[in-house]
Amino acid sequence: MSPQEYAQQKAAASGSSFYYAFLFLPAPRRAAITAFYAFCREVDDVVDEVQDLGVAQAKLGWWRQEVAQAFAGKPSHPAMQALMPHCPVYGIEARHLLAVIDGCQMDLDQNRYLDFANLQQYCHLVAGIVGEVAARIFGQTEAATTEYAHRLGLAFQLTNIIRDVGEDAVRGRIYLPVNDLQRFDLKAHELLKRGAVPGSDPADFERRFRALMDFQCQRALRTYDEALALLPAADRQAQKPGLMMASIYRTLLQEIAADPMLVLTQRVSLTPLRKFWLAWKVQALGRL
C-alpha cells in the first residue's frame, strides 16, 4: 500500500463529515487535505485508543520526533510520507503539526476546563489550527481568512464536544466548562453517570441538563455565524469545502438542540446520504 493509499484509507475509514467536503476538491488539493487529515487522525487516535497514559505520552513524543524528522527530509510514517510533498505547496509548517500534537497532549494532561477561555485554547490547538491548514489547502488568498478558519474550527470543536458529552463521560472526561456547570447547577458526577444519581429527581436533572445544553448549543450556533461573517468575499468560492463542513456540522448541532438528552446515551449523527446532500447543495448553490 502506498502512503497516498494509506492516507485515503485512514480518512475514509473515519466516517467523518469532513470527508464529504473533500470529494468536491480538485485532485491535488484533495490529496493534500486527505493526507493532513490522516495525520490528525493518527495523533488523535493516540488519545482515544491508548489506555495506558505512559504509552500514550510516549506515542505523542514519537510523533513530535516524526514531525521533526519529516521536515528534515526523512518521514517514516506513511501518513507523513503522504503529507510532506504538499507542505511547501500549501505553506504547511512544522508548527501546525506540533500544535495539533500539543492539543492532544492537553487531553492527556487534563480532563476538566475551568471556563470557556480555557476551553478555547484547547479548541484552537485541535481545531483552529486544523482549520488554518485546511484554508491554505483549499486556496486561501486573503490574510483575514485565517481568522475565519480559526473561528470555524472553534465552532466545529464545540459541536463535537456537545455531541460527545455521553461518550466523553464514559472516558471520565468533561469538556463543558466548570463554570457553565455551576451556572446551571449540574454536578460533575451527574454528567459522569450520564443521568440523575440515585435518590435524586430524574425530572429535575433533565430540566437542568436541557438548560445547560441549550446554552452550549446556542453559543456554538453563534460561533458559526461569527465565523461566516469573517470570511472575505474574495475567498468564499475557494473556501466552499469549509462551508460544506459548516452546513453538515450546523445541521447536526440543530438536531442535537432539538433533543439534547440523546447525547447522554447515543452518538447523534446524520446519514451519509444527508451529509452528501448538504455538501452538494453548497457546491451547487454556493450557500449554506
Side-chain angles (χ1 to χ4, degrees):
M1 181 186 298
S2 70
Q4 292 73 26
E5 289 169 337
Y6 178 90
Q8 173 71 24
Q9 188 177 85
K10 187 74 176 180
S14 74
S16 170
S17 300
F18 292 179
Y19 184 69
Y20 293 85
F22 301 168
L23 296 175
F24 294 90
L25 283 167
R29 297 186 190 277
R30 185 169 67 247
I33 193 64
T34 300
F36 176 61
Y37 185 73
F39 162 79
C40 293
R41 288 299 332 153
E42 291 286 352
V43 176
D44 192 56
D45 284 349
V46 172
V47 175
D48 289 344
E49 298 179 3
V50 179
Q51 302 299 317
D52 186 286
L53 179 60
V55 173
Q57 297 274 18
K59 282 182 174 289
L60 288 186
W62 184 91
W63 274 106
R64 291 183 195 280
Q65 293 177 344
E66 173 67 4
V67 169
Q69 290 179 354
F71 278 86
K74 299 177 181 178
S76 63
H77 193 282
M80 291 300 295
Q81 290 171 348
L83 177 60
M84 289 313 297
H86 304 290
C87 290
V89 178
Y90 299 110
I92 304 170
E93 303 171 23
R95 67 177 178 87
H96 294 124
L97 307 189
L98 292 173
V100 174
I101 297 172
D102 287 343
C104 291
Q105 183 67 50
M106 287 183 72
D107 270 325
L108 299 183
D109 294 340
Q110 65 184 98
N111 54 20
R112 300 285 191 280
Y113 292 87
L114 180 62
D115 54 28
F116 187 59
N118 193 227
L119 180 63
Q120 278 183 290
Q121 175 58 25
Y122 166 75
C123 292
H124 177 70
L125 293 172
V126 299
I129 293 295
V130 174
E132 178 181 333
V133 172
R136 294 182 180 206
I137 294 172
F138 296 157
Q140 174 181 352
T141 62
E142 300 288 325
T145 298
T146 299
E147 188 178 356
Y148 145 82
H150 287 168
R151 201 70 186 166
L152 189 60
L154 174 61
F156 289 153
Q157 192 61 26
L158 292 178
T159 304
N160 285 337
I161 288 169
I162 291 167
R163 179 197 62 197
D164 295 343
V165 165
E167 289 185 13
D168 289 333
V170 172
R171 296 189 178 103
R173 296 184 177 278
I174 299 175
Y175 288 93
L176 303 180
V178 171
N179 64 350
D180 286 352
L181 287 141
Q182 292 172 339
R183 175 176 177 176
F184 293 96
D185 196 27
L186 253 291
K187 306 296 188 294
H189 67 270
E190 291 179 299
L191 280 186
L192 293 175
K193 281 186 167 293
R194 295 182 293 161
V197 297
S200 64
D201 181 2
D204 181 59
F205 169 80
E206 180 172 340
R207 175 189 61 78
R208 290 179 285 119
F209 183 75
R210 285 184 180 276
L212 169 67
M213 295 303 287
D214 180 65
F215 178 79
Q216 303 298 324
C217 289
Q218 292 306 312
R219 178 161 59 194
L221 287 168
R222 286 196 307 272
T223 306
Y224 282 105
D225 293 338
E226 292 162 1
L228 297 175
L230 290 169
L231 177 59
D235 270 354
R236 189 171 182 86
Q237 179 68 24
Q239 298 302 318
K240 268 188 177 181
L243 298 178
M244 293 176 191
M245 292 185 279
S247 179
I248 293 169
Y249 261 63
R250 194 163 67 172
T251 300
L252 173 64
L253 183 61
Q254 289 165 339
E255 295 267 319
I256 295 170
D259 188 3
M261 297 301 294
L262 291 176
V263 301
L264 291 173
T265 56
Q266 67 186 72
R267 186 182 182 90
V268 181
S269 62
L270 306 180
T271 65
L273 180 61
R274 192 172 180 193
K275 291 177 184 178
F276 183 82
W277 168 245
L278 290 167
W280 181 86
K281 280 205 303 181
V282 173
Q283 174 69 13
L285 304 178
R287 57 181 172 80
L288 273 65

